[in-house]
């Protein structure tokens, strides 16, 4: 199996980051989806360069790859989940999110990360879709420029309930932005099960040329709830077989287990998740 497995630190928030990374290495993970947040690598706290260098050394010591994820709930605003977004009516608020993503690109470059993950945000009240798309493209322009300079792909994730919710929305953004080279896709397998018209395995094949990051968990149709493997409806062996072929397209990133609401059981779920993925992956058949 050529899939390089990772686990998201947003599902290990009860652990210190050094301990979380050590746990993942001990379990045999190839890497980590590192969410920039106050409990781990806080992008807004002092001495960022020194803290990032420490994390880079720790990753190197443990032999872990990394993707930088930016889905922290309250890192910018302690009162608004994921606020402000790239779609905020206030230009200064949008700019704060843009600055965070540009900073994330710099952190990713210092860590030697495979990509920076992001998402669009929910359409604000009294905002037309056309206006929201204009705000999104404008807000992403400096981020894409930073990504281009750093050679770090920006992998935007279709998120249920957001402006950019589906693979079709991702392709719409590509057209609006004139298909910039740094713009890629985060494919979340659970989200495919939740709302895409195609089966998850077909989503992998159809999206393969643009995939720069993969997240994986179980999910049910029409219900956006990240579930441990075996608790949802996804048929994983064909999905994992499809993901295994991504290396043929040049993909060298991670497939990261995404269980952000299960941190209370994070160490145990990290263990059972990698056991499940190994058992159901193509090398086991």
């Amino acid at each position: 199996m050529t899939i390089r497995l990772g686990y998201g630190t947003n599902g290990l928030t009860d652990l210190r980051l050094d301990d979380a990374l050590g746990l993942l290495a001990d379990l045999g993970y190839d890497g980590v989806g590192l969410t920039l947040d106050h409990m781990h690598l806080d992008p807004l706290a002092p001495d960022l360069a020194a803290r990032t260098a420490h994390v880079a050394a720790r990753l190197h010591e443990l032999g872990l790859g990394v993707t930088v994820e930016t889905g922290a709930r309250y890192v910018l605003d302690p009162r608004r989940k994921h606020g402000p977004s790239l779609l905020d009516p206030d230009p200064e608020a949008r700019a704060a999110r843009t600055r965070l993503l540009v900073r994330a690109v710099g952190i990713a470059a210092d860590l030697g990360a495979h990509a920076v993950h992001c998402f669009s945000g929910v359409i604000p009240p009294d905002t037309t879709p056309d206006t929201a798309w204009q705000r999104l493209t404008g807000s992403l322009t400096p981020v894409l420029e930073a990504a281009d300079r750093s050679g770090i792909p920006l992998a935007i994730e279709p998120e249920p309930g957001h402006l950019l919710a589906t693979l079709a929305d991702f392709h719409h953004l590509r057209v609006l932005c004139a298909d910039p080279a740094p713009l890629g896709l985060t494919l979340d397998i659970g989200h495919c099960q939740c709302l895409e018209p195609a089966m998850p395995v077909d989503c992998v094949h159809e999206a393969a040329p643009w995939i720069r990051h993969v997240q994986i968990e179980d999910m049910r149709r029409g219900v956006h709830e990240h579930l441990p493997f075996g608790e949802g409806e996804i048929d994983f062996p064909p999905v994992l077989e499809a993901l295994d072929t991504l290396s043929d397209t040049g993909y060298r990133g991670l497939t990261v287990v995404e269980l952000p609401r299960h941190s209370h059981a994070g160490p145990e779920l990290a263990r059972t998740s990698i056991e499940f993925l190994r058992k159901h992956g193509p090398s086991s058949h």
Side-chain angles (χ1 to χ4, degrees):
M1 188 166 72
T2 62
I3 302 171
R4 301 181 66 244
L5 297 175
Y7 200 93
T9 60
N10 60 0
L12 296 168
T13 56
D14 292 276
L15 277 66
R16 297 176 183 88
L17 182 56
D18 274 5
D19 292 338
L21 297 178
L23 169 75
L24 298 182
D26 288 345
L27 289 172
Y29 281 95
D30 301 296
V32 59
L34 175 58
T35 296
L36 302 179
D37 208 348
H38 59 84
M39 77 290 291
H40 286 149
L41 183 56
D42 186 343
L44 303 181
D47 302 322
L48 178 62
R51 290 182 290 109
T52 301
H54 171 81
V55 174
R58 180 71 169 150
L59 291 167
H60 179 75
E61 171 194 356
L62 296 171
L64 293 174
V66 60
T67 300
V68 170
E69 301 192 356
T70 62
R73 294 184 180 97
Y74 296 100
V75 71
L76 286 178
D77 187 331
R79 293 172 176 82
R80 286 195 297 162
K81 182 181 177 182
H82 299 313
S85 79
L86 297 169
L87 311 180
D88 199 286
D90 180 358
E92 286 302 315
R94 295 198 300 274
R97 177 62 62 174
T98 295
R99 285 193 297 271
L100 178 66
L101 294 179
V102 170
R103 180 169 293 195
V105 171
I107 294 169
D110 291 341
L111 294 178
H114 301 291
V116 172
H117 149 278
C118 70
F119 45 57
S120 68
V122 177
I123 302 178
D126 302 318
T127 302
T128 66
D130 283 348
T131 297
W133 283 110
Q134 289 171 12
R135 290 176 185 167
L136 179 60
T137 56
S139 299
L140 283 178
T141 297
V143 188
L144 290 166
E145 291 171 350
D148 193 37
R149 290 192 300 269
S150 299
I152 305 289
L154 183 70
I156 193 162
E157 177 186 10
E159 184 79 23
H162 283 212
L163 171 68
L164 198 154
T166 65
L167 292 174
D169 294 331
F170 167 72
H171 292 301
H172 182 58
L173 177 66
R174 288 178 52 234
V175 172
L176 291 177
C177 292
D179 204 14
L183 180 62
L185 173 72
T186 291
L187 187 72
D188 187 300
I189 300 302
H191 294 174
C192 295
Q193 175 69 22
C194 180
L195 52 68
E196 292 289 345
M199 297 291 289
V201 61
D202 297 322
C203 291
V204 175
H205 291 306
E206 293 168 10
W210 299 279
I211 293 175
R212 301 295 179 266
H213 182 42
V214 178
Q215 295 174 345
I216 193 166
E217 68 284 317
D218 216 339
M219 204 167 286
R220 301 186 184 98
R221 184 71 180 170
V223 183
H224 184 205
E225 181 183 2
H226 291 235
L227 299 172
F229 298 112
E231 295 186 14
E233 301 171 341
I234 298 175
D235 181 16
F236 278 100
V239 171
L240 293 169
E241 188 169 346
L243 290 172
D244 200 44
T245 67
L246 285 181
S247 61
D248 297 338
T249 71
Y251 182 68
R252 298 291 182 267
L254 298 168
T255 294
V256 170
V257 179
E258 184 79 359
L259 293 171
R261 297 183 181 178
H262 293 76
S263 188
H264 62 282
E268 177 65 10
L269 279 170
R271 180 185 67 79
T272 57
S273 294
I274 196 168
E275 290 175 354
F276 179 96
L277 293 170
R278 285 171 170 166
K279 178 180 178 182
H280 292 87
S283 63
S284 64
H285 301 296

